[in-house]
Amino acid sequence: MAEELKRTPLYDAHVAAGARMVPFGGWHMPVQYPTGIIKEHRAVREAVGVFDVSHMGEGALVGPRAGEAVQRLITHDARRLDADGKALYTVMCNDAGGIVDDCIVYRRAADDYLIVLNASNIAKDLAWMRERAGDLADVRDESDATALLAVQGPRAVAVVDRLSPAPLADVPRFSFVRADVAGVPCMVARTGYTGEDGFELACAADRARALWDALIEAGAAPCGLGARDTLRLEARLCLYGNDIDETTTPYEAGLGWVVKLDAGDFIGRDALRAQQAAGVSRKLIGFRIDERAIARHGYPVVDAGGEPIGQVTSGTKGISVPGSIGLAYVPVALASPGGRIAIDCRGKRVDATVVKGPFYKREDKPA
């Protein structure tokens, strides 16, 4: 029997707005609205868009030793969460250094941390957290009670700020405050997944519709998974399940900056220390295709004889950047910026160039 898909608190709003709904991570989610992916993408790059990301999971670690539990689970230095209201992007790894999930950790109090999890990993992550850190803290699932909206774009801060009596424009990156937005109590975090400025707003699930409607009334364009993918890929942000998973390590994925080997004991530290000393054999690189073709997830990177030597993990046609772009794992010898690779695109060999850094980097824009 097929698994029954879950619905976010905003399902009816998406359907009423004419969104095309698709299965994603066990959920019914809007992939695009009638305006289309390109217009949604440009709305975020040029003005402001709002995404329903309520399918993401929320796991809390609560108790006097919750900070120790966080450090055991993540590769980053949990001591950087040295005050309430701070947030941290990191990964959780298994004993072999493979990535169990990438996540953001929020310190709500010294004895209360919230970890936002990828939708398809919620059950796995919560079980992992309980198994590996449950002796240090109470692990609570707050996913069903919480809605999460991402407001992104150069006008995002101004739009959200106008809907709140709190001075939200002053919230620093990777920090959060508690404030009412459109009369809805929210955790307002200066985080996002599009390469643009903005907020992620967490609120009670039964207040999500009021918040969504107010944001759209204030000028935010509703955006779906399609635009979210083109935006995050242009910003070269990894998608779990595509670019990273339990068979890839942070060093291979270019996420070595979230591994702090001297921060304290954490799961996977010994394996990652050994890999750092030995070096990796493959790397996740960005590439731009030199001709008219799009490389999709799973397409092989091939050598001169056509034999697979790597794999594309994400690919799309750029909307804010020229050409077709993507991410792929390739042997280290082919990973230098400016280097040349070849991809088998449905039987056609196409050449591509290795690109350093994000494909798109936002400029400071007036709100």
Side-chain angles (χ1 to χ4, degrees), residues 165-195:
L168 300 179
D170 297 333
V171 177
R173 286 280 297 164
F174 279 88
S175 296
F176 67 94
V177 297
R178 297 182 185 278
D180 286 358
V181 178
V184 177
C186 293
M187 189 179 91
V188 183
R190 196 74 172 264
T191 53
Y193 187 55
T194 61

Side-chain angles (χ1 to χ4, degrees), residues 12-99:
D12 291 342
H14 301 318
V15 172
R20 182 159 70 88
M21 306 298 288
V22 299
F24 182 81
W27 294 78
H28 282 291
M29 294 299 295
V31 66
Q32 66 177 79
Y33 295 83
T35 48
I37 291 172
I38 292 176
K39 285 191 175 180
E40 293 169 24
H41 178 110
R42 288 178 173 156
V44 174
R45 288 281 183 253
E46 298 167 6
V48 55
V50 57
F51 302 81
D52 176 15
V53 286
S54 302
H55 59 311
M56 304 286 283
E58 288 82 18
L61 291 157
V62 180
R65 301 181 70 186
E68 293 177 60
V70 170
Q71 185 60 79
R72 180 181 291 182
L73 291 169
I74 69 170
T75 63
H76 214 309
D77 187 351
R79 292 174 298 186
R80 297 194 181 191
L81 297 167
D82 58 359
D84 301 348
K86 285 194 172 184
L88 190 68
Y89 174 79
T90 185
V91 297
M92 296 190 291
C93 283
N94 57 31
D95 292 323
I99 300 172

Side-chain angles (χ1 to χ4, degrees), residues 43-296:
V44 174
R45 288 281 183 253
E46 298 167 6
V48 55
V50 57
F51 302 81
D52 176 15
V53 286
S54 302
H55 59 311
M56 304 286 283
E58 288 82 18
L61 291 157
V62 180
R65 301 181 70 186
E68 293 177 60
V70 170
Q71 185 60 79
R72 180 181 291 182
L73 291 169
I74 69 170
T75 63
H76 214 309
D77 187 351
R79 292 174 298 186
R80 297 194 181 191
L81 297 167
D82 58 359
D84 301 348
K86 285 194 172 184
L88 190 68
Y89 174 79
T90 185
V91 297
M92 296 190 291
C93 283
N94 57 31
D95 292 323
I99 300 172
V100 173
D101 205 354
D102 68 327
C103 52
I104 297 181
V105 184
Y106 301 83
R107 175 171 151 162
R108 298 190 293 199
D111 59 355
D112 184 357
Y113 294 79
L114 184 71
I115 303 183
V116 173
L117 312 163
N118 282 294
S120 59
N121 289 341
I122 295 172
K124 179 191 78 169
D125 287 354
L126 289 169
W128 179 262
M129 292 162 65
R130 291 186 175 110
E131 175 188 351
R132 306 304 289 266
D135 58 329
L136 295 173
D138 183 19
V139 179
R140 300 175 183 173
D141 181 6
E142 299 184 1
S143 305
D144 289 343
T146 307
L148 191 61
L149 279 61
V151 190
Q152 300 282 292
R155 291 189 56 236
V157 172
V159 164
V160 177
D161 190 54
R162 277 203 305 273
L163 293 174
S164 177
L168 300 179
D170 297 333
V171 177
R173 286 280 297 164
F174 279 88
S175 296
F176 67 94
V177 297
R178 297 182 185 278
D180 286 358
V181 178
V184 177
C186 293
M187 189 179 91
V188 183
R190 196 74 172 264
T191 53
Y193 187 55
T194 61
E196 297 293 341
D197 196 4
F199 292 115
E200 291 178 306
L201 310 176
C203 69
D206 62 359
R207 303 299 304 277
R209 182 63 187 267
L211 182 59
W212 175 265
D213 289 345
L215 289 164
I216 291 176
E217 178 67 23
C223 301
L225 293 175
R228 183 169 176 256
D229 198 53
T230 55
L231 289 158
R232 71 91 190 168
L233 184 49
E234 287 185 349
R236 198 174 166 166
L237 299 171
C238 289
L239 174 65
Y240 195 88
N242 275 37
D243 311 305
I244 52 177
D245 58 30
E246 293 195 35
T247 70
T248 61
T249 73
Y251 290 129
E252 293 170 334
L255 296 173
W257 60 275
V258 304
V259 179
K260 307 299 180 186
L261 294 172
D262 297 327
D265 192 19
F266 61 80
I267 301 165
R269 185 174 68 162
D270 291 345
L272 291 172
R273 188 188 298 280
Q275 187 176 62
Q276 185 199 47
V280 297
S281 61
R282 62 174 181 169
K283 282 187 175 179
L284 185 67
I285 54 99
F287 64 82
R288 177 173 284 113
I289 291 181
D290 300 337
E291 50 193 289
R292 291 176 61 88
I294 299 176
R296 300 296 189 187

Side-chain angles (χ1 to χ4, degrees), residues 314-362:
S314 291
T316 189
K317 187 177 187 305
I319 296 175
S320 303
V321 300
S324 293
I325 58 175
L327 303 177
Y329 281 99
V330 301
V332 169
L334 299 177
S336 297
R340 309 281 293 166
I341 61 172
I343 300 167
D344 183 342
C345 292
R346 304 176 67 181
K348 179 184 177 184
R349 179 188 174 95
V350 300
D351 293 327
T353 302
V354 178
V355 176
K356 181 181 180 181
F359 304 99
Y360 169 87
K361 190 172 182 179
R362 73 180 174 90

